C-alpha cells in the first residue's frame, strides 16, 4: 500500500474538530489543538473514529489504522 494512502488517514485536531470531538475514543483523554490523530477502528461500536495517533497501529493486512488495544488482542489470537 502506498505511503500516500496511509498519510491520507492522518490529520491534526483543528478548531472545528475540537468542537465536535471532546475525547479520544481509545484513551478517553481530551483532544488538544494540533494533536496528531488518525481514523481508526476499535472496540467502540460504529464506524472508525479519529483517535490520537500514538493510540493506533497501522495494520498492513487491512491497510487501515486499528486501536492499539484491538491490534494487540488480534495479534495474540493469531
Amino acid at each position: 500500500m502506498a505511503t500516500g494512502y496511509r498519510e491520507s488517514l492522518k490529520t491534526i485536531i483543528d478548531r472545528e474538530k475540537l468542537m465536535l470531538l471532546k475525547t479520544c475514543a481509545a484513551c478517553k483523554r481530551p483532544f488538544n489543538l494540533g494533536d496528531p490523530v488518525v481514523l481508526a477502528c476499535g472496540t467502540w461500536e460504529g464506524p472508525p473514529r479519529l483517535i490520537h495517533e500514538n493510540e493506533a497501529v497501522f495494520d498492513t493486512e487491512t491497510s487501515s489504522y486499528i486501536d492499539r488495544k484491538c491490534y494487540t488482542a488480534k495479534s495474540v489470537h493469531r
Side-chain angles (χ1 to χ4, degrees), residues 10-15 17 32-38 50:
K10 294 182 182 183
T11 189
I12 59 167
I13 291 293
D14 59 22
R15 192 172 227 172
K17 288 180 188 75
N32 295 302
L33 283 176
D35 281 350
V37 295
V38 294
L50 289 173

Side-chain angles (χ1 to χ4, degrees), residues 16-43:
E16 181 180 341
K17 288 180 188 75
L18 188 60
M19 298 304 289
L20 297 173
L21 306 168
K22 299 298 182 192
T23 58
C24 175
C27 67
K28 308 300 185 224
R29 290 179 305 162
F31 288 112
N32 295 302
L33 283 176
D35 281 350
V37 295
V38 294
L39 191 60
C41 62
T43 57

Side-chain angles (χ1 to χ4, degrees), residues 44 57 61 65 69 73:
W44 52 86
V57 174
E61 288 181 24
Y65 281 96
K69 293 173 196 160

